[in-house]
Amino acid sequence: MRTSVRSAAVAATAVSLALLVTGCGGGDSGKDAGKDAGKESAPAASATGAAPAAEALSAAELEKLIVEQADLPGHQVQKATAADIVPADAVSTDKASCKPLADAMSFIATGKPAVSAQRKAIEVPKTDGATASPEEALGALSAPVTSVTLGSYQGQGAQEAFASLKTAGTDCAAGFTLIGGGEKTKITKVAPETVSAGEEALAYTVTTDMDGEPFVSKLVAFRQGNTLATFSSISLGGTVKTLPKAIVDAQAKKLG
């Protein structure tokens, strides 16, 4: 979906240029995105001794757990704006099993979370002085931009969402078509990578055909309890070479 991938790239350009002029700024905390679903309301164990179903966090609780500026030195962290986030039903794929990958690439929490939270983390290039050189400016424009999405789920929702991403990685390894905003984007390859975080984790290198040129991004997901974290890293340079390990590690630390 060019609407998703390309608009994210445009946003990355604007933010990177702002970094060169103003330096690294702090991300603001957002207002609640949903109604409280406090842990205190978890149902009691049944007479058979089964554990109570997991209760989703409230929006306020989830906001406290997503990475912020203080957690990521060397990055600028911003709260996602309304323009960054599209409804889940605005994104589709030519293969139903590939939808979880499309969502993770599009700032959408996988599956059916009770609440979600989003951030953008931009790697800040190091400069030698207050004024960036042309080479440093070019580096800023190519700096990886990572979308971070947390979803909190009722019951087994997080496990099911993670499983759907794992299945998608297998079913969609040879590619799929991502559809949104009246446009189609061809994903040509989804290749597994190695990552360790949370209770279970996965990662992929995703290659997209952008007007005949390969656009290489990284996708990471991990589950901690009934919270699922997804990360999608892109670069205007066209290729993200490594997984966003610092961001993943910082998020894993906050989730415990």
Side-chain angles (χ1 to χ4, degrees):
M1 181 182 66
R2 285 179 171 81
T3 300
S4 176
V5 177
R6 191 168 283 165
S7 63
V10 171
T13 305
V15 172
S16 294
L17 286 173
L19 285 173
L20 292 175
V21 176
T22 63
C24 182
D28 57 359
S29 59
K31 60 184 179 181
D32 293 356
K35 296 180 180 179
D36 286 351
K39 292 181 178 179
E40 294 79 9
S41 61
S46 70
T48 61
E55 279 287 309
L57 299 173
S58 70
E61 289 170 327
L62 196 63
E63 283 286 334
K64 292 178 181 179
L65 290 174
I66 196 165
V67 287
E68 298 288 5
Q69 187 66 61
D71 305 310
L72 283 170
H75 294 75
Q76 185 188 54
V77 180
Q78 299 178 333
K79 181 168 181 164
T81 66
D84 295 320
I85 303 170
V86 297
D89 60 7
V91 176
S92 61
T93 57
D94 62 339
K95 291 178 62 177
S97 62
C98 301
K99 177 71 159 66
L101 289 175
D103 287 347
M105 294 169 63
S106 306
F107 238 152
I108 299 170
T110 306
K112 297 181 179 179
V115 291
S116 61
Q118 292 87 5
R119 294 291 185 271
K120 290 185 295 187
I122 302 97
E123 188 175 314
V124 181
K126 295 180 180 179
T127 62
D128 294 328
T131 302
S133 68
E135 291 78 13
E136 289 168 339
L138 182 61
L141 292 176
S142 298
V145 180
T146 300
S147 62
V148 182
T149 304
L150 290 189
S152 183
Y153 301 74
Q154 298 280 6
Q156 295 294 307
Q159 289 90 335
E160 292 167 359
F162 183 87
S164 72
L165 281 167
K166 190 172 183 179
T167 297
T170 300
D171 290 356
C172 311
F176 61 97
T177 299
L178 200 157
I179 307 159
E183 297 184 358
K184 297 181 178 180
T185 295
K186 179 62 179 176
I187 312 301
T188 58
K189 185 178 181 181
V190 178
E193 292 236 21
T194 300
V195 66
S196 178
E199 295 178 42
E200 52 184 345
L202 55 77
Y204 302 112
T205 293
V206 180
T207 304
T208 302
D209 181 352
M210 296 291 282
D211 300 322
E213 296 294 328
F215 186 89
V216 181
S217 59
K218 301 290 185 180
L219 189 64
V220 180
F222 75 81
R223 182 185 64 81
Q224 182 66 42
N226 62 334
T227 300
L228 182 68
T230 56
F231 310 79
S232 179
S233 294
I234 66 169
S235 167
L236 279 185
T239 299
V240 178
K241 297 180 179 179
T242 60
L243 298 177
K245 187 176 185 303
I247 302 172
V248 172
D249 288 350
Q251 186 59 78
K253 182 178 180 181
K254 290 198 79 168
L255 289 177

